[in-house]
């Protein structure tokens, strides 16, 4: 059974994963304009995110435009929005539940109850990591496929931005944190063993304290 320190370490990893997933959801640089050929020296740099598109001008000005229309967005972008929001919500819920099942906390009930609570919290964190990994992978695949498409002009080609890498790292942290919390509660609880039915008398007599045996032996002489 993992120690309480390992559970705290897993909780910190999951907390960092939640923070990274939230930051990557809000960042506008899921894909950035690629510098190819004659476009290395360019006056405009463009970035596109889940919620807004931003443009960086050579004069130093920076402007962003929100994506108000949801139906006009491609399927992978709509999926990325939904999955990342659900990932953040499930990660926050998993952390709240897992905090009740940690060994270092005083709430959450008995040992058995805390074990079930910790497993449930770890399960939520693993699902949150999966929901964070899917949109990052799909988004990256779409950007790379469009980048390699020869029919797309070089001025309209993009590369995966920093927010995608943050999403990948956050998914890994949520996976590892949730897995450690789940596996830390799979051990068997130490306690008195049950006596088999066919050997109940011998087993129970062996489990009696020495004081009782001494008392019984003295009574035999009386």
């Amino acid at each position: 059974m993992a120690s309480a320190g390992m559970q705290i370490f897993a909780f910190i990893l999951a907390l960092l994963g939640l923070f990274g997933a939230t930051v990557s959801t809000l960042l506008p640089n899921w894909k950035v304009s690629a510098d190819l050929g004659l476009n290395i020296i360019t006056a405009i740099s463009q970035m596109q995110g889940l919620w807004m598109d931003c443009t960086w001008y050579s004069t130093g000005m920076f402007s962003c435009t929100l994506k108000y229309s949801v139906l006009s967005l491609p399927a992978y972008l709509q999926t990325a929005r939904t999955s990342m929001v659900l990932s953040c919500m499930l990660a926050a819920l998993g952390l709240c539940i897992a905090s009740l099942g940690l060994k270092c906390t005083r709430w959450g009930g008995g040992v058995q109850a805390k074990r079930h609570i910790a497993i449930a919290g770890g399960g939520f964190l693993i699902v949150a990591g999966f929901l964070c990994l899917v949109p990052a992978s799909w988004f990256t695949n779409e950007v790379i496929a469009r980048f390699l498409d020869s029919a797309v002009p070089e001025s309209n080609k993009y590369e995966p931005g920093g927010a995608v890498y943050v999403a990948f790292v956050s998914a890994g942290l949520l996976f590892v944190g949730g897995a450690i919390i789940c596996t830390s509660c799979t051990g068997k609880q130490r306690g008195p063993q049950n006596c088999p039915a066919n050997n109940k008398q011998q087993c129970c007599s062996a489990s009696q304290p020495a004081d009782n045996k001494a008392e019984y032996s003295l009574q035999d002489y009386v």
Side-chain angles (χ1 to χ4, degrees), residues 83 86-88 90-92 123-133 171 174:
S83 298
L86 288 177
S87 176
C88 295
L90 287 180
F124 277 111
L125 292 175
I126 293 176
V127 174
F130 177 76
L131 290 176
C132 184
L133 180 63
L174 290 173

Side-chain angles (χ1 to χ4, degrees), residues 26-32 45-57 62-69 72-74 76-77 81 139 158:
L26 300 177
L27 284 177
N29 59 336
W30 276 69
K31 61 180 181 179
V32 296
S45 178
Q46 296 180 348
M47 297 182 296
Q48 295 185 10
L50 302 181
W51 310 96
M52 64 182 68
D53 297 337
C54 297
T55 304
W56 182 274
Y57 298 95
F62 187 80
S63 62
C64 294
T65 304
L66 294 176
K67 299 177 180 179
Y68 293 103
S69 178
S72 62
L73 299 176
Y76 73 93
L77 191 55
R81 277 186 172 187
F139 197 97
Y158 291 85

Side-chain angles (χ1 to χ4, degrees), residues 88-111:
C88 295
M89 294 175 61
L90 287 180
L93 179 61
L95 285 173
C96 294
I97 296 176
S99 63
L100 300 177
L102 297 180
K103 299 178 182 179
C104 59
T105 57
R106 296 181 177 272
W107 52 81
V111 177

